[in-house]
Amino acid sequence: MINKAIAVKDKTDPAKLIKVALFDQKKRITKPHKHNGYLEFVLLEQTQGKHYIDGQEIQIMAPCLLIIRKDNVHHWELDEPVQGYVLLLKREFVENSLDLEIRRLIDELAGLNTINFTDVSTLHSLFSLLSAEEHRTVQEALLKAILAKSVQQAGAGKTLKTKSKNLFLQLTQVLNKEKQILNNVAYYANLLHTSPQNLNAACQKHADKSASEVLSGYIISEAKRLLFYTNKTVAEVAFQLGFADQSNFSKYFKRAVGLTPQNYRKSTA
């Protein structure tokens, strides 16, 4: 008996955390595979065919945007010619961003694999500009515009409406709007009138993360913002984020970032 393994592809550039390129016509028919730790957005402006993702068959009628996550097993059969762009986004790009809106917008797209459009002229321009951009701040602005346009279209299509997904989105919206982010899942569960177990289940279903992991992403981003933009001491940052003491916060931060808060501040000075 031959053991079959799912192929894992890596189309990223080791030196880049984000990459945009024109769709490769030679890859209009692919075999089942996963991606090596990155999120992929495929803007299809012209083509039709089938996209198979985690066993689900989806009819493709351009224009549309495909969203493929690192754990998805997928392949497609697209008719030529295929006109569009492929955007590869590494997790580190989002984690290193001080703009929490990018994380929130990605969270809002959780659970979606296809967004249908009637007009992608704006997205075409954004993808084109991003493909030639090297400056990090401009890259973030263009990516945020792409994500915002996608969320807007998804909302117009009424695809974000299940109860558990709404619970997950409510959490991300609260985290994005709260002036103070606390390291306490139970606090946010109570705020959303649910239990920590229900909140955790919603996060697992629609983001493939526990509620603690979702919260951790926001906490680390907020910690980076406070360390970069303010003169607060590490102890003051720890207190603001709901940690009992500076030591616990420093260990938490180093596990996630690889640097102590003090060394992170020095590296960005």
Side-chain angles (χ1 to χ4, degrees):
M1 181 177 179
I2 299 175
N3 291 324
K4 294 184 177 181
I6 297 171
V8 178
K9 294 187 177 181
D10 191 340
K11 297 179 283 186
T12 59
D13 183 336
K16 295 183 178 180
L17 298 181
I18 188 169
K19 175 184 175 183
V20 178
L22 289 170
F23 190 97
D24 186 346
Q25 299 296 317
K26 294 180 291 186
K27 296 178 180 177
R28 65 181 185 83
I29 298 178
T30 59
K31 295 181 179 180
H33 63 278
K34 296 172 69 173
H35 295 154
N36 187 20
Y38 57 87
L39 183 62
E40 181 171 13
F41 295 90
V42 183
L43 176 63
L44 297 176
E45 301 174 69
Q46 178 183 324
T47 191
Q48 59 183 6
K50 296 179 180 179
H51 185 205
Y52 302 87
I53 183 165
D54 291 337
Q56 178 184 3
E57 178 183 313
I58 301 168
Q59 293 293 326
I60 297 298
M61 290 294 293
C64 63
L65 182 73
L66 309 183
I67 305 172
I68 304 141
R69 292 162 181 83
K70 66 180 181 68
D71 293 321
N72 291 147
V73 178
H74 84 112
H75 67 288
W76 54 48
E77 299 169 2
L78 303 176
D79 294 345
E80 59 181 348
V82 181
Q83 182 178 326
Y85 285 92
V86 176
L87 188 164
L88 308 178
L89 181 65
K90 291 184 180 179
R91 181 185 62 189
E92 292 85 353
F93 186 93
V94 179
E95 291 180 345
N96 292 340
S97 174
L98 298 179
D99 191 340
L100 290 179
E101 186 73 359
I102 290 176
R103 184 186 298 275
R104 184 189 70 80
L105 289 168
I106 290 176
D107 287 342
E108 286 218 37
L109 294 172
L112 297 179
N113 53 46
T114 309
I115 302 175
N116 295 308
F117 286 80
T118 55
D119 180 9
V120 289
S121 56
T122 299
L123 278 182
H124 173 90
S125 298
L126 292 169
F127 272 78
S128 179
L129 289 169
L130 187 51
S131 69
E133 185 56 59
E134 296 292 337
H135 193 280
R136 171 69 189 231
T137 303
V138 182
Q139 287 178 333
E140 289 193 7
L142 291 169
L143 173 64
K144 184 160 69 170
I146 290 171
L147 295 171
K149 191 70 176 175
S150 302
V151 168
Q152 179 188 45
Q153 181 65 23
K158 298 181 180 180
T159 52
L160 304 176
K161 62 181 181 180
T162 66
K163 182 177 180 181
S164 56
K165 184 173 294 185
N166 283 341
L167 182 57
F168 168 71
L169 291 181
Q170 286 172 34
L171 172 63
T172 62
Q173 288 163 1
V174 167
L175 293 175
N176 192 61
K177 293 177 181 178
E178 289 259 287
K179 292 182 178 179
Q180 184 177 5
I181 298 178
L182 301 176
N183 183 30
N184 190 327
V185 172
Y187 166 79
Y188 291 103
N190 183 63
L191 199 65
L192 296 173
H193 307 291
T194 190
S195 68
Q197 292 79 9
N198 285 341
L199 187 58
N200 190 61
C203 291
Q204 288 284 6
K205 181 176 181 180
H206 297 289
D208 196 26
K209 298 177 182 177
S210 66
S212 294
E213 289 173 325
V214 172
L215 183 56
S216 176
Y218 278 83
I219 289 171
I220 293 300
S221 292
E222 181 64 12
K224 287 179 177 178
R225 288 159 65 95
L226 291 171
L227 292 167
F228 183 82
Y229 288 114
T230 76
N231 293 321
K232 291 180 181 290
T233 66
V234 174
E236 289 171 331
V237 172
F239 177 77
Q240 182 167 333
L241 295 175
F243 287 83
D245 57 59
Q246 178 180 332
S247 176
N248 285 339
F249 167 66
S250 293
K251 292 176 182 177
Y252 183 94
F253 189 90
K254 187 174 182 179
R255 278 198 304 270
V257 181
L259 296 171
T260 64
Q262 295 92 333
N263 288 337
Y264 173 79
R265 174 170 271 170
K266 291 177 182 177
S267 72
T268 57

